[in-house]
Amino acid sequence: MELRAGQRAVVRVAVATLWTCPDAVRPIDAPALGTHVDTGAWIAGMDADQQVGDCVLSQLLLGEEVLVTEMGPHGWVRVVAVEQAAAGLDPRGYPGWLPTDQLTAAPTDPPGSGPLVADPLPPTRPLVVDATVTALYATPDGDVRVPGVVLGTRLTPAGPAVDGWRPVHAPGHREPLWLPDRHTVPLPTRSPAPDEALAVAERLLDVVYIWGGTSPAGIDCSGLVHLAWRRFGVWLPRDAGDQADATTPVELGTERPGDLYFFARPGRGIHHVGIVSALPRPGDDRRMLHACYQRRRVLEERLPDDRTATLVGVHRV
């Protein structure tokens, strides 16, 4: 497939990792490259230092749209991920590098793109994956064509469900592919209640911390927030500071489950975000669910003293 600068493209693999540059890729990253991505094997092969290496910027899910901005060497392209806002980096979206073979040209008018209308007509209303992980098959119970499709992936139906299986259009595949119908739900047309997004994030407890991760195989703090709301069709910015700018501050002490705690050290920008998991109690007893860099996993906990000391605000989506 030939791509060119200025062209729109979409991700054709279950999870595409966005890199700082092609030269940053390490030997350990081989399972995350090419058209047969195995995100689980990639993460399982890392040690603790490799999990937080600065070569990874973000991750994009199957069908996510990018704008190609530069043709690079040896099968790489520089892109901006237009569905992951990053105002401080590029007003068009999150910039980084992807292998060319993880992309395919976007349709002129991608099905399911753009804002949802109030009452879309079936069967064109987009679907979203609600299973933590699933796969797309050539036929019901047939060969796997796209493994590792994850929670929050948006899909376009190719017809009604048949015997518990749903046909969908998949980028890079001419014929519809299939997945269990119970693994999808219609993409909502309303914003979620805060506790609904929290419930999605709670399903990712104990997922390993991966710098730049946005999938249930491995995730970082802002990736967890991005994915929890993405499940409901709300595309928050990718990084914690931008998420703070895109949400509404509320008075500390009035927070409720599903709101967001933001953290920053004196004189510095926001570096961490967590999801409020319980009503605050007297004596500054606050709890949150977050992807924790220090403990390398998603956990729910009472705010320790070092977190309380850097808490700069609570916001509502």
Side-chain angles (χ1 to χ4, degrees), residues 36-100:
H36 300 287
V37 171
D38 190 336
T39 307
W42 173 55
I43 292 173
M46 293 186 195
D47 61 29
D49 290 335
Q50 291 166 332
Q51 291 171 359
V52 295
D54 58 5
C55 56
V56 174
L57 295 170
S58 187
Q59 290 180 315
L60 286 67
L61 306 188
L62 176 71
E64 195 164 338
E65 187 174 353
V66 302
L67 172 66
V68 177
T69 60
E70 180 183 339
M71 305 306 297
H74 310 300
W76 287 81
V77 290
R78 192 172 191 272
V79 304
V80 291
V82 300
E83 297 178 40
Q84 297 189 22
L89 300 174
D90 191 308
R92 298 169 297 180
Y94 212 107
W97 290 84
L98 289 175
T100 305

Side-chain angles (χ1 to χ4, degrees), residues 242-257:
D242 292 322
Q243 290 173 352
D245 291 339
T247 52
T248 303
V250 298
E251 185 177 352
L252 198 63
T254 66
E255 63 264 38
R256 63 193 188 201

